Amino acid sequence: MRGFLASSIGVTCAAALVLPLTPPAVASTARPAYSAEAATRGEAVAGPAVRQEDAESYVPGSTQSMPLAPLTPLARDRVVGAPAIEGLSPRDVRHFSLVGVVWDDPDAELHGRVQVRTRAVGTGTWSDWQDVETHNGEHAADPGSVERTSGRVRGSTAPLWVGESDAVEVRVTAQATGAGSKGGAHGPGSGDPTPPAGTGVVSPLPAGLRLELVDPGEPAPAPDDPGAPRPGSLQTETTETAEALGASAADTAASAANAELAPLGVAAIPALGRAETERELLALRGDELTQAQRAKPYIGPRPRIVTRRGWGANEGLRERQFVYTKKVKAAFVHHTATGSKYWCSQVPSLIRGIYRYHVKSMGWRDVGYNFLVDKCGNIYEGRAGGVAKPVLGAHTLGFNTNSMGIAVLGSYGSTKPTKASVKAVARLTAWKLGLFGVNPRGKTYLKSAGGNLYRKGKNVRLNAISGHRDGFLTECPGRQLYRKLGTARATAARYQGR
């Protein structure tokens, strides 16, 4: 996602997921390495502790990118005036677990419906047609920012997790504006491969449509020597393996960004009690606190956070520099809009897939969200730069400066979020907003960088804990999760001692 590199921003070097309903195929997809799996379970495992079998089984991730082509319907299926369809006929491919569609112009919208079918590894069973969320452009860097104008950014759908698969079929159908569907996950249900023709003007599909098939791979085992090359099992070096094997310096930098909180190489930053957190606040930001704040700091106890090392990030993918904003005045809560049928032990693999899709397919500098939360209440570090620092994300188009983005893995339009996930959002915001003296039940002002709700330059009054839809006209974070933000605000304030 795209960062806002300006003179006021410091630069330093230092998105549930819809799974097939066949458990065997899903289970074979997400095999987190020892450190990632232990981090999800809550065990404290440092990066250098790696078993030999993990080193031998390490395979880096990969992305297959395939151009879409016009599909000609059978004569009996032709409808006069029906829009053309682009896609791919059923075909065998290398293993993948996550899919999405990208196109050339990041400012172009896909007014239509994207559907995929996939064949599960192990069972050979084809899934029903599944809709891919087409409205993804609002999860982005701010207009005019360095990340947005890098020349690498593409338009895209949201990624969809399908489980380990080895064959795919896809179709993209243009729909008329005002036809009564927003497309993607909001369109007709799966199982109907051909939506009805719309009434009105059909917008052309964006140019350069490509299907992206992502294999998250396995997290590379940490070397005993931080400067040593990372072991791999492939004999032929490709661009993908070179990125993974040459990522040691970036690994160290990402871990060092959290050095004030935990030792280098840990898979998870442990939780702290209130007294320990208050002492840490004084150490981190004591010079910026008022006398009253030093006497009575309002901050929630630091929650446990799985690091990028913990979920197995290949640090060779992202840009090396970290980009910061001045402070964190607000938290925007999102949902990933890709389904909630996942196991929490799979999440490290899911996040690796989202990370690779954001960087390699969409052209962002790193994963866009600052934090991710699963339905079991686990909290994960997102964009690199340090969990206690004001890292500039790319999550809420127009309002990335002086904010942070939290993505709850799942779709919450009609599904209620778990109590554990809402509590995790409250714990995370109580701590992170507390570091910057923000009351979770309070209001704040952010200046819009431009969007479909607020013009560029407008100072907008927002809740300190806001939903994505508060800053941009979107359904995110889903009606059911949005309804829980009041609970999150009250709980976070209580954690802060207010």
Side-chain angles (χ1 to χ4, degrees):
M1 304 175 114
R2 302 151 273 245
F4 205 6
L5 266 173
S7 58
S8 62
I9 299 174
V11 180
T12 184
C13 290
L17 304 154
V18 177
L19 298 173
L21 298 181
T22 51
V26 173
S28 62
T29 281
R31 300 188 310 257
Y34 178 69
S35 59
E37 185 177 19
T40 307
R41 292 198 307 265
E43 298 177 9
V45 178
V50 178
R51 300 175 301 179
Q52 180 63 30
E53 60 212 68
D54 290 326
E56 292 174 350
S57 64
Y58 163 57
V59 178
S62 63
T63 302
Q64 302 170 71
S65 184
M66 303 178 179
L68 303 189
L71 296 178
T72 303
L74 297 174
R76 66 175 183 273
D77 295 328
R78 291 191 182 122
V79 178
V80 176
I85 301 174
E86 290 191 28
L88 291 175
S89 58
R91 64 193 58 206
D92 294 341
V93 294
R94 298 193 307 274
H95 287 200
F96 67 97
S97 300
L98 180 143
V99 303
V101 171
V102 300
W103 54 91
D104 294 340
D105 184 358
D107 295 319
E109 294 187 22
L110 195 164
H111 296 288
R113 187 180 186 191
V114 177
Q115 293 179 296
V116 297
R117 295 174 65 230
T118 56
R119 187 178 66 197
V121 170
T123 66
T125 303
W126 280 89
S127 71
D128 291 333
W129 287 99
Q130 301 182 79
D131 285 295
V132 180
E133 174 59 73
T134 60
H135 293 268
N136 194 47
E138 64 268 28
H139 299 82
D142 292 335
S145 64
V146 170
E147 188 171 1
R148 178 77 176 185
T149 58
S150 67
R152 299 188 301 272
V153 178
R154 305 177 189 87
S156 69
T157 68
L160 174 71
W161 186 266
V162 294
E164 191 171 9
S165 305
D166 59 8
V168 67
E169 181 180 9
V170 62
R171 63 182 71 209
V172 180
T173 307
Q175 290 182 333
T177 304
S181 171
K182 291 187 178 182
H186 309 295
S190 63
D192 176 13
T194 307
T199 58
V201 178
V202 177
S203 299
L205 294 173
L209 289 172
R210 302 185 70 89
L211 177 67
E212 303 288 292
L213 304 178
V214 179
D215 173 14
E218 301 294 340
D224 293 330
D225 177 1
R230 304 175 84 163
S233 61
L234 302 185
Q235 299 301 315
T236 302
E237 183 170 306
T238 65
T239 300
E240 303 291 348
T241 57
E243 286 171 346
L245 298 175
S248 293
D251 282 343
T252 302
S255 185
N258 292 313
E260 294 173 305
L261 309 183
L264 289 176
V266 297
I269 298 169
L272 293 180
R274 178 173 299 278
E276 295 172 301
T277 301
E278 291 178 355
R279 287 195 295 270
E280 182 179 76
L281 171 64
L282 294 175
L284 293 174
R285 309 186 64 84
D287 294 342
E288 305 170 35
L289 301 178
T290 65
Q291 184 174 354
Q293 288 174 323
R294 286 194 292 269
K296 176 57 178 175
Y298 289 104
I299 184 170
R302 188 182 77 193
R304 178 179 175 275
I305 302 172
V306 178
T307 64
R308 291 171 64 93
R309 172 66 62 80
W311 56 260
N314 175 358
E315 301 295 354
L317 296 180
R318 63 171 174 83
E319 289 187 11
R320 296 301 176 91
Q321 289 183 324
F322 303 143
V323 184
Y324 299 98
T325 185
K326 289 183 177 180
K327 60 183 69 174
V328 176
K329 298 171 63 178
F332 284 99
V333 178
H334 304 256
H335 68 168
T336 54
T338 45
S340 304
K341 294 181 179 179
Y342 62 88
W343 302 324
C344 293
S345 61
Q346 297 174 313
V347 170
S349 182
L350 305 183
I351 296 176
R352 289 197 304 276
I354 294 171
Y355 169 46
R356 173 171 282 275
Y357 184 74
H358 281 184
V359 175
K360 302 294 286 186
S361 299
M362 298 172 63
W364 293 350
R365 67 186 316 274
D366 194 352
V367 65
Y369 306 111
N370 298 104
F371 297 93
L372 300 100
V373 172
D374 68 27
K375 60 187 175 184
C376 293
N378 297 305
I379 300 170
Y380 301 84
E381 178 183 14
R383 181 163 286 205
V387 297
K389 299 175 182 179
V391 177
L392 183 68
H395 45 82
T396 306
L397 181 66
F399 291 101
N400 291 302
T401 298
N402 293 336
S403 72
M404 68 174 180
I406 303 169
V408 181
L409 296 168
S411 297
Y412 301 104
S414 58
T415 301
K416 293 181 179 180
T418 63
K419 291 181 179 179
S421 63
V422 175
K423 182 178 179 181
V425 169
R427 293 195 63 188
L428 175 58
T429 52
W431 172 69
K432 186 64 181 276
L433 293 178
L435 287 174
F436 295 88
V438 177
N439 182 346
R441 286 188 299 197
K443 304 284 186 177
T444 191
Y445 281 89
L446 294 177
K447 181 178 289 188
S448 173
N452 64 2
L453 274 182
Y454 302 105
R455 61 174 172 79
K456 182 177 180 180
K458 181 177 177 60
N459 282 318
V460 182
R461 189 169 184 257
L462 295 161
N463 288 308
I465 299 178
S466 286
H468 187 183
R469 63 173 64 182
D470 294 321
F472 198 96
L473 185 59
T474 175
E475 294 188 12
C476 184
R479 180 172 56 90
Q480 295 292 349
L481 179 54
Y482 189 78
R483 291 175 58 186
K484 292 295 183 180
L485 295 188
T487 299
R489 294 182 193 110
T491 304
R494 186 171 70 249
Y495 285 146
Q496 285 191 349
R498 297 182 186 270

